Amino acid sequence: MNAIIYCRVSTNKETQETSLRRQEDELVQLANRYQFHIDSIIKEQASGYDFDRDGILQLLERIKDKQVQAVLIQDETRLGRGNAKIAILHCILKEGIKLYSISHNGELQLSESDSMVLKIVSMVEEYQRKLHNVKIKRGMKRAVEQGYKPEKNLKNLGEHSGRDKIEVPVQEIVRLRKNGLTFSEIAATLRGFGYNISKATVHRRYQEFIEEQED
């Protein structure tokens, strides 16, 4: 199992730097005990109430890689404090990542209150996605009833092009992405609108749009 070690202290004081090194040493020992392969070690000195932390943002980005299965921490407060802790825990757990801590000498056991809040957050997030999809489907239905024919957006680039290029509503992809839908959800929505489109194509067209904006 590949694991990321995450260490945090709240200030830049010398005593805190010692604590940071101690966290790292103890977490390496924990990784060795469970025979984890250490993918990377992230260390930072910042307030746990702050979301804008290079280390935690690096962690949240790295766990999207399916090659990483676990995160090792001293305890859950190293991830964050207050509402920040709940939000970060939610981001990690919904990726299917296992949390191991020194304080529990193994897999992290959430408190009853934290567990309850996380269930509520997940439920609200799920219903928000469903609500987005319902609104989008109703809008698509109205457009079709008014004569919009999405199949006309498919065109062949030429006899010798090797592949048909699918013309897709890029602005709609961008809008749905801003609304928090995943690339899979966007693809499913557009297929419901008549576009023969995959998650990979949605992702590619979105990236092309972003790159064009940066040029």
Side-chain angles (χ1 to χ4, degrees):
M1 186 179 287
N2 293 324
I4 296 174
I5 286 176
Y6 176 78
C7 314
R8 182 187 66 80
V9 291
S10 57
T11 70
N12 291 319
K13 293 180 180 179
E14 186 176 345
T15 53
Q16 293 283 58
E17 291 179 2
T18 301
S19 174
L20 200 60
R21 288 194 296 272
R22 185 172 63 251
Q23 281 184 50
E24 180 181 359
D25 291 342
E26 292 177 351
L27 289 169
V28 168
Q29 292 176 27
L30 183 65
N32 292 336
R33 191 181 315 150
Y34 283 89
Q35 298 183 325
F36 292 154
H37 172 263
I38 299 174
D39 174 87
S40 54
I41 298 175
I42 300 173
K43 298 182 289 184
E44 64 182 347
Q45 296 172 290
S47 169
Y49 292 100
D50 188 4
F51 279 108
D52 190 9
R53 290 182 263 146
D54 290 339
I56 202 66
L57 293 176
Q58 180 186 344
L59 173 67
L60 294 177
E61 183 63 29
R62 188 74 190 92
I63 61 174
K64 293 178 181 178
D65 186 339
K66 299 306 179 184
Q67 298 302 314
V68 175
Q69 294 88 29
V71 172
L72 277 55
I73 52 177
Q74 183 183 55
D75 59 68
E76 65 266 31
T77 65
R78 295 305 88 202
L79 293 173
R81 297 279 188 175
N83 293 334
K85 180 189 76 173
I86 294 296
I88 294 166
L89 279 170
H90 176 65
C91 290
I92 293 173
L93 295 175
K94 77 175 183 178
E95 293 292 339
I97 300 295
K98 291 185 178 295
L99 279 165
Y100 286 76
S101 74
I102 295 171
S103 61
H104 288 95
N105 196 30
E107 193 164 353
L108 179 70
Q109 302 299 313
L110 294 173
S111 68
E112 187 174 340
S113 59
D114 283 350
S115 182
M116 180 181 67
V117 171
L118 286 169
K119 286 180 181 177
I120 293 172
V121 171
S122 295
M123 183 176 65
V124 170
E125 188 178 68
E126 176 62 21
Y127 273 91
Q128 284 178 329
R129 281 197 294 267
K130 288 181 179 180
L131 182 58
H132 277 306
N133 288 338
V134 167
K135 288 180 177 178
I136 292 164
K137 287 177 182 178
R138 288 174 68 90
M140 293 189 299
K141 182 179 178 181
R142 285 196 299 271
V144 171
E145 288 172 349
Q146 293 169 7
Y148 179 63
K149 298 185 183 301
E151 64 272 13
K152 289 186 176 181
N153 287 281
L154 301 178
K155 73 175 183 180
N156 195 311
L157 289 182
E159 185 178 353
H160 302 293
S161 63
R163 294 182 64 182
D164 291 345
K165 180 166 181 175
I166 302 172
E167 287 301 314
V168 299
V170 176
Q171 293 299 326
E172 186 67 8
I173 290 175
V174 173
R175 186 181 72 80
L176 295 177
R177 187 64 176 161
K178 287 181 179 178
N179 284 341
L181 272 70
T182 66
F183 292 117
S184 292
E185 290 168 338
I186 294 171
T189 298
L190 293 178
R191 284 196 296 271
F193 213 168
Y195 292 92
N196 182 21
I197 190 169
S198 67
K199 170 188 170 183
T201 299
V202 170
H203 181 267
R204 184 168 60 252
R205 297 303 168 80
Y206 180 80
Q207 291 301 323
E208 289 171 356
F209 173 83
I210 296 300
E211 289 170 5
E212 287 174 2
Q213 300 304 305
E214 293 174 349
D215 289 343

